[in-house]
Amino acid sequence: MKKLVIGILAHVDAGKTTLAESMLYLSGSIRKLGRVDHKNAYLDTFELERARGITIFSKQAEITLEDSKISLLDTPGHVDFSTEMERTLQVLDYAILVISGSDGVQGHTETLWRLLKQYNIPTFIFINKMDLNGTDRGALLAELKKLLNDGCIDFSKAQNPNEFMENLAVYDEALLDKYIESGVVETKDITELIADRKIFPCFFGSALKLNGVEEFLNGLTQYTKSAQYSEKFGAKVYKIARDEQGNRLTYMKITGGSLRVKMLLSNRKDMGSAQNHESDLWEEKVDQIRIYSGAKYEAVDEAKAGAVCVVLGLSRTYPGEGLGAEVASEMPVLQPVLSYRILLPPECDAHNMLSKFRQLEEEDPQLHIVWSEQLKEIHIQLMGEVQIEILKSLILNRFGVDVEFGEGNIVYKESILEPMEGVGHFEPLRHYAEVHLLMEPNEHGSGLIFTSNCSEDLLDRNWQRLILTHLEEKDHVGVLTGSSITDMKITLIAGRAHQKHTEGGDFRQATYRAVRQGLKKARCVLLEPYYNFKLEIPSESVGRAMSDIQRMSGDFSPPELAGDTSLLIGYAPVATMRGYQKEVTAYTRGRGRLFCSLKGYLQCHNSDEVIKAVGYDSEADIDNPTSSVFCANGAGFIVEWDKVQDYMHVDSGWKLTEPEEQNKETVTTKSRMHYGNTVEEDKELEAIFVRTYGPIKQRLGSSRSGVEYRKKNAEENVQIDKKSVSKKKEPVKEYLLIDGYNIIFSWDELNEIAKENLEAARNKLMDILCNYQGFKQCILILVFDAYKVKGGVGEILDYHNIHVVFTKEAETADAYIEKVTHEIAREHYVTVATSDALEQLIILGQGAIRLSASDFKEEIFRINDKIRRDYMDKRQYTRNYLRDRLSDNVLELINDDCDT
């Protein structure tokens, strides 16, 4: 029998739980059809869910359909409970995305779609509420194709079979060839397309009235397949909860082998894992295995691969953990962005309540319970205000304590703007450890990445693993506001241990201090969460909305008009958008709708104000010291962070990039942005220029190719600067101006050299161009960009037979080339070799020709090949000449030197 784990996801109020209810009813799993609004839905098992009419916790239901046994996981739809939903994605074989036919694709729907793509989950789509007036099947399908994926295909039986198969075949080349030959697309082919996420079956109906649900169930059984599981035991933990008796429940999916009652489970991995530290290892016995369906469960002796079950007897598991052969999951994408202070009743002991709140954090790690020792306060991180109400009820029911929450604050984060080395040293008497970390900024949303690039001759592998573990185990905080750091790559580059005195805890201290010291030295930046938003408002209110978004430091695209309604799409800080929905409702008289989804963390719009308000003193934070501890004369002493470099015992060899090197990096980035334009595009560019500015005036009246140069008079000696352009009538010359760094970073072989030594790449290019100029006899000017080199006065020099220009400070290579082109193109042929798209129109406007980097490379190859052929012809001529005129003995003696 086919085993499937299928999750059901949706934006809140799209009818997700109602669809699950209909599926259970039609499959015979339940006898009576419940309803959310009647508070008797089968999967709304908690009183809070029935009262609110929303799903708060993920639930499991077992469905048997023909040859398929499905574990259906119903997930929360409200954005405040997104972390509960995301944890469930880790164990899914397939997903069902429910979309309201009356609302279409909403803000949270797009967030769900991105998560499904990230977790690579094949997805079926059910468009619900099609019985309501105003729903348009064709318009909805077009919206799905536009906003989600072009592979969204209508799987209704009403359509033409041949047209249906043809629509499917175009999504796979091999299948298209097969369809052209046979005229048939088989069921197994459709199943593979869905499993590979190339197509997404769409079904339309009304879950409340059972319309289209049976057809949807048939599609699930027909176009799905079981996963292949290993015989070696593995399991993925996705949820921790507690039952009414207080038993700790570990929800998991068996991903290999089988799990039996009384079986020993452990988090011990192979010897290559960084998890293997004795204090963290555990081994516990399985007391009971439950298979839940709704509020009821069946106790079983064994759960085989593919099953979703609940295990009792495990006290140290956590969501996302991998057991056996299974690996642990990455951190969730969705993170809370608001922090609240928990206000306890006067009679409550804060430390006692803290231990109880740790149970909630264990079940939902994203709550991130924080105890402030200085303020004697408990803080908690949440997604939104609905979650607050649920937590208050949950705390009251479970612990009998009526708590309140203070005003919410934004959860800020910190990062760095440039690479920096951090050094930590910990050497009180009879202890020793030193750690060097390279901290580099990473792309937004990447989180923290830890790696090692340290020689084992310098530091043993076991110590390196321990340092990486210490990096991962702690929530490192920044030095601006004490907020968590993110979007960095931290690499271990050097370290030292003592054969006798080093202990594991020594490297913990050295590692923490190295992070802090690096942050103190680096250019840090404060980050805040941003929302992506979609704002639907009446057209007469669009001016007010645009003004509001600008006031909130947001950004948006031009309004999209659709009849009397305008749509604004953009992003803005969470801090400024909080509560804006109420404003929208007020000024649009209830006709406006705001959809928000978390975009991620970007640079804070008012960082100075926030840093001042927080008032964090990084050097007074005794829990996160920035200093290091050294030893002299048998006693340890403190060295402040800015003096550590003078006392350190190991030199990692890493140096901060000099300004010239920074300029080279800037040039690298700039040049890589302009690849790909070829000479064939010039005609289109010329047409654009003519339409905009009028005809291009070719001053020499001659049509010429960008790779054809006329020979210059060998005796001409021409200076490069614009002042040297003669005002008297000169013979027509051919100039070739080359954007040096653009060419270097466009040619793969030069780019590889530049990664190691930019000077070597420049010299290599200059040698190539000298050879080229010797054959073409054009005036060749090679320009290197040095506009960010402070104090640079510029330099013009002759390198053999070419002219080399280094621009001065505040002058780019682009600007220099444009200036010279403007001067000399009046009387001479000028070709500019660059792939910089920004120069194209200007070059054309001056009557010059643009030669792309790739085309210029081909021209170089062509000339080199011609030189080789000419050389071979001359060498053969020399051999023939000597053979005709010299004796055999003499010819034999000089044969080896005939090339000379």
Side-chain angles (χ1 to χ4, degrees):
M1 178 172 281
K2 184 165 59 177
K3 282 186 178 180
L4 299 171
V5 180
I6 301 178
I8 183 164
L9 303 87
H11 189 285
V12 66
D13 292 334
K16 171 180 53 61
T17 302
T18 303
L19 176 61
E21 200 78 12
S22 301
M23 293 170 64
L24 290 166
Y25 179 73
L26 291 176
S27 65
S29 300
I30 58 175
R31 296 182 179 180
K32 182 181 179 182
L33 191 64
R35 287 180 55 159
V36 174
D37 54 346
H38 292 174
K39 301 181 180 180
N40 62 351
Y42 181 75
L43 289 176
D44 282 346
T45 57
F46 288 83
E47 187 60 38
L48 287 172
E49 294 176 315
R50 295 193 182 103
R52 296 287 305 227
I54 60 173
T55 302
I56 300 172
F57 307 103
S58 58
K59 317 292 191 327
Q60 176 182 350
E62 295 296 310
I63 298 177
T64 302
L65 290 169
E66 299 175 5
D67 65 336
S68 302
K69 187 173 183 180
I70 299 174
S71 294
L72 185 68
L73 301 183
D74 186 17
T75 66
H78 199 285
V79 68
D80 281 13
F81 307 103
S82 296
T83 54
E84 175 86 5
M85 172 275 301
E86 188 178 351
R87 284 193 292 273
T88 308
L89 298 183
Q90 305 170 32
V91 299
L92 299 185
D93 298 320
Y94 290 87
I96 301 168
L97 180 62
V98 184
I99 295 174
S100 170
S102 58
D103 296 317
V105 177
Q106 298 170 276
H108 191 50
T109 309
E110 294 186 72
T111 301
L112 295 173
W113 188 258
R114 287 194 297 271
L115 289 172
L116 291 169
K117 180 180 180 180
Q118 178 165 330
Y119 285 91
N120 197 32
I121 302 173
T123 304
F124 288 74
I125 299 174
F126 186 82
I127 297 89
N128 195 22
K129 302 184 181 182
M130 291 302 293
D131 56 321
L132 299 181
N133 292 330
T135 54
D136 185 331
R137 188 190 194 107
L140 285 167
L141 188 62
E143 184 181 22
L144 295 178
K145 287 179 173 289
K146 178 182 177 182
L147 298 180
L148 300 186
N149 191 286
D150 186 61
C152 294
I153 305 294
D154 187 354
F155 265 58
S156 302
K157 293 181 179 178
Q159 57 186 314
N160 184 295
N162 291 331
E163 183 181 345
F164 174 66
M165 287 189 288
E166 185 176 335
N167 288 338
L168 293 175
V170 297
Y171 289 94
D172 184 84
E173 289 186 13
L175 181 58
L176 182 59
D177 293 339
K178 179 180 176 181
Y179 173 71
I180 292 173
E181 292 177 5
S182 64
V184 175
V185 176
E186 300 178 15
T187 299
K188 64 178 183 179
D189 297 325
I190 301 175
T191 302
E192 289 300 324
L193 287 177
I194 296 170
D196 294 339
R197 284 183 55 86
K198 292 183 177 179
I199 65 169
F200 305 91
C202 299
F203 297 85
F204 295 80
S206 171
L208 185 63
K209 298 184 178 179
L210 301 180
N211 295 336
V213 180
E214 191 163 357
E215 182 182 4
F216 177 65
L217 288 173
N218 293 335
L220 277 181
T221 57
Q222 187 176 5
Y223 300 121
T224 52
K225 63 176 184 177
S226 291
Q228 299 297 316
Y229 297 106
S230 168
E231 294 184 1
K232 187 177 181 180
F233 171 74
K236 174 60 67 68
V237 178
Y238 71 94
K239 179 181 175 180
I240 303 295
R242 283 171 172 77
D243 62 13
E244 295 178 354
Q245 289 73 40
N247 297 314
R248 189 178 190 271
L249 309 178
T250 299
Y251 288 73
M252 65 177 68
K253 178 186 178 182
I254 310 302
T255 58
S258 64
L259 179 67
R260 295 176 298 278
V261 175
K262 302 304 178 185
M263 180 174 170
L264 281 175
L265 291 182
S266 173
N267 67 337
R268 185 183 298 272
K269 298 292 182 182
D270 59 80
M271 294 305 294
S273 172
Q275 293 182 8
N276 292 329
H277 299 288
E278 294 302 326
S279 60
D280 299 326
L281 292 176
W282 56 263
E283 187 175 72
E284 296 177 325
K285 188 181 294 184
V286 175
D287 291 338
Q288 187 181 42
I289 302 174
R290 299 176 179 178
I291 306 294
Y292 271 85
S293 188
K296 301 178 181 179
Y297 68 86
E298 176 188 0
V300 297
D301 293 329
E302 183 180 22
K304 296 184 178 180
V308 175
C309 61
V310 173
V311 176
L312 279 72
L314 306 180
S315 63
R316 298 178 64 180
T317 49
Y318 62 88
E321 184 174 18
L323 301 177
E326 188 65 45
V327 297
S329 299
E330 298 288 335
M331 289 292 292
V333 175
L334 301 177
Q335 300 281 342
V337 296
L338 299 173
S339 177
Y340 294 84
R341 181 165 67 98
I342 300 178
L343 306 176
L344 300 173
E347 66 274 10
C348 272
D349 177 61
H351 289 89
N352 183 41
M353 287 303 300
L354 180 62
S355 63
K356 294 180 178 180
F357 288 147
R358 292 295 183 197
Q359 292 185 18
L360 300 178
E361 185 182 33
E362 184 183 52
E363 297 168 17
D364 185 357
Q366 300 309 306
L367 291 178
H368 196 65
I369 306 293
V370 177
W371 167 253
S372 173
E373 184 64 36
Q374 290 83 6
L375 301 175
K376 306 296 182 184
E377 294 175 349
I378 302 174
H379 293 255
I380 188 171
Q381 293 183 5
L382 303 173
M383 295 292 288
E385 295 181 359
V386 175
Q387 195 177 7
I388 290 177
E389 298 180 33
I390 301 303
L391 267 178
K392 287 176 63 176
S393 300
L394 190 62
I395 293 169
L396 180 61
N397 293 337
R398 184 181 294 189
F399 307 126
V401 179
D402 189 8
V403 301
E404 295 292 337
F405 288 82
E407 185 177 351
N409 298 309
I410 297 296
V411 177
Y412 293 95
K413 295 192 177 184
E414 297 180 31
S415 190
I416 57 177
L417 295 174
E418 62 183 10
M420 184 56 64
E421 181 187 21
V423 181
H425 189 97
F426 187 70
E427 193 188 359
L429 189 61
R430 295 188 179 88
H431 292 269
Y432 187 94
E434 182 166 303
V435 173
H436 293 245
L437 302 175
L438 176 58
M439 308 169 69
E440 301 171 281
N442 217 342
E443 61 184 13
H444 291 303
S446 60
L448 292 176
I449 299 173
F450 305 113
T451 185
S452 176
N453 187 24
C454 178
S455 169
E456 292 183 21
D457 295 334
L458 187 63
L459 189 63
D460 189 76
R461 182 183 299 180
N462 289 331
W463 292 126
Q464 293 189 34
R465 289 186 188 140
L466 183 61
I467 292 169
L468 293 178
T469 301
H470 291 324
L471 284 171
E472 293 172 357
E473 71 189 6
K474 180 178 173 64
D475 181 19
H476 301 280
V477 298
V479 296
L480 300 178
T481 61
S483 304
S484 301
I485 60 173
T486 187
D487 298 343
M488 275 189 249
K489 180 182 179 182
I490 301 181
T491 306
L492 172 64
I493 57 174
R496 178 176 289 179
H498 192 281
Q499 287 186 343
K500 181 178 180 181
H501 296 309
T502 299
E503 299 176 359
D506 299 344
F507 272 110
R508 174 182 283 111
Q509 285 291 329
T511 301
Y512 293 173
R513 293 168 189 266
V515 173
R516 295 287 285 175
Q517 199 255 0
L519 291 172
K520 288 291 288 185
K521 291 162 58 183
R523 290 173 55 211
C524 295
V525 60
L526 187 66
L527 307 178
E528 68 175 332
Y530 275 68
Y531 278 144
N532 280 325
F533 67 82
K534 283 187 177 180
L535 180 58
E536 296 178 5
I537 48 174
S539 294
E540 64 267 18
S541 302
V542 72
R544 160 70 188 271
M546 293 169 68
S547 176
D548 286 349
I549 294 167
Q550 291 174 338
R551 172 179 52 83
M552 294 186 293
S553 301
D555 196 4
F556 54 89
S557 302
E560 299 177 15
L561 303 179
D564 296 333
T565 303
S566 293
L567 176 65
L568 281 174
I569 300 175
Y571 58 91
V574 172
T576 58
M577 287 208 76
R578 291 176 63 190
Y580 187 57
Q581 177 63 66
K582 296 177 181 178
E583 290 187 43
V584 172
T585 303
Y587 71 73
T588 62
R589 295 184 176 88
R591 293 184 294 163
R593 296 192 303 172
L594 176 65
F595 304 103
C596 292
S597 60
L598 187 63
K599 175 181 178 66
Y601 276 80
L602 301 175
Q603 192 160 341
C604 182
H605 75 285
N606 60 336
S607 56
D608 292 340
E609 180 183 334
V610 173
I611 292 170
K612 183 178 180 180
V614 173
Y616 176 71
D617 185 352
S618 59
E619 296 181 41
D621 187 349
I622 59 175
D623 293 328
N624 299 284
T626 60
S627 59
S628 285
V629 180
F630 288 82
C631 186
N633 301 321
F637 63 95
I638 301 294
V639 174
E640 296 302 324
W641 66 270
D642 54 344
K643 302 291 193 303
V644 170
Q645 224 81 14
D646 300 330
Y647 287 81
M648 65 186 186
H649 294 177
V650 178
D651 184 359
S652 68
W654 185 87
K655 300 296 181 185
L656 183 64
T657 306
E658 296 298 327
E660 183 178 356
E661 295 297 321
Q662 293 175 0
N663 172 57
K664 294 171 187 174
E665 293 298 323
T666 304
V667 173
T668 302
T669 305
K670 172 179 174 293
S671 300
R672 289 175 180 171
M673 292 172 61
H674 302 305
Y675 291 175
N677 295 317
T678 63
V679 77
E680 287 78 5
E681 295 171 334
D682 283 348
K683 291 182 179 179
E684 182 180 354
L685 291 166
E686 182 174 332
I688 295 171
F689 189 96
V690 169
R691 286 198 302 270
T692 309
Y693 304 106
I696 297 172
K697 297 177 181 179
Q698 295 285 358
R699 297 173 177 84
L700 299 173
S702 173
S703 174
R704 61 196 187 281
S705 165
V707 295
E708 294 176 351
Y709 299 100
R710 299 185 184 275
K711 292 184 179 179
K712 78 176 187 73
N713 296 326
E715 67 275 6
E716 288 289 328
N717 182 17
V718 182
Q719 294 183 359
I720 306 305
D721 192 74
K722 67 176 183 178
K723 294 180 181 179
S724 68
V725 179
S726 176
K727 295 183 180 179
K728 66 180 181 179
K729 190 67 177 179
E730 293 181 2
V732 175
K733 307 183 187 75
E734 294 229 355
Y735 284 80
L736 174 60
L737 279 71
I738 298 172
D739 188 337
Y741 284 128
N742 189 282
I743 297 297
I744 286 175
F745 296 115
S746 296
W747 293 3
D748 292 340
E749 60 272 28
L750 292 180
N751 194 11
E752 290 300 317
I753 297 173
K755 291 177 181 177
E756 301 295 330
N757 188 326
L758 192 59
E759 179 69 25
R762 282 201 299 258
N763 292 337
K764 178 71 172 176
L765 176 61
M766 289 157 65
D767 289 337
I768 291 172
L769 295 179
C770 286
N771 198 41
Y772 177 81
Q773 194 280 337
F775 183 89
K776 296 297 293 186
Q777 294 297 298
C778 59
I779 301 174
L780 194 151
I781 306 170
L782 176 61
V783 184
F784 287 111
D785 190 331
Y787 80 104
K788 279 196 174 181
V789 177
K790 292 185 178 180
V793 295
E795 184 180 9
I796 300 172
L797 56 91
D798 290 335
Y799 182 82
H800 300 308
N801 55 341
I802 68 173
H803 307 288
V804 182
V805 177
F806 291 89
T807 64
K808 60 188 177 182
E809 182 183 5
E811 183 180 37
T812 65
D814 300 351
Y816 186 92
I817 290 172
E818 290 159 14
K819 174 182 66 177
V820 174
T821 302
H822 175 74
E823 295 292 341
I824 63 178
R826 298 174 184 274
E827 304 295 337
H828 305 284
Y829 290 119
V830 178
T831 299
V832 178
T834 179
S835 288
D836 190 336
L838 296 177
E839 294 186 58
Q840 295 173 24
L841 290 176
I842 298 173
I843 292 168
L844 283 170
Q846 302 296 340
I849 293 295
R850 183 184 66 86
L851 186 65
S852 73
S854 58
D855 287 339
F856 185 47
K857 187 176 181 180
E858 291 178 8
E859 169 73 355
I860 293 286
F861 285 158
R862 187 181 68 80
I863 295 301
N864 287 344
D865 184 63
K866 183 171 178 57
I867 292 172
R868 279 193 297 270
R869 281 189 278 107
D870 289 348
Y871 166 73
M872 293 300 293
D873 291 342
K874 290 178 181 177
R875 188 174 71 168
Q876 188 60 44
Y877 174 84
T878 303
R879 288 182 185 277
N880 294 339
Y881 180 90
L882 293 173
R883 185 178 293 111
D884 291 340
R885 288 162 176 78
L886 300 175
S887 67
D888 291 340
N889 291 336
V890 176
L891 182 63
E892 185 177 351
L893 288 173
I894 68 172
N895 192 44
D896 293 335
D897 297 323
C898 70
D899 289 351
T900 305

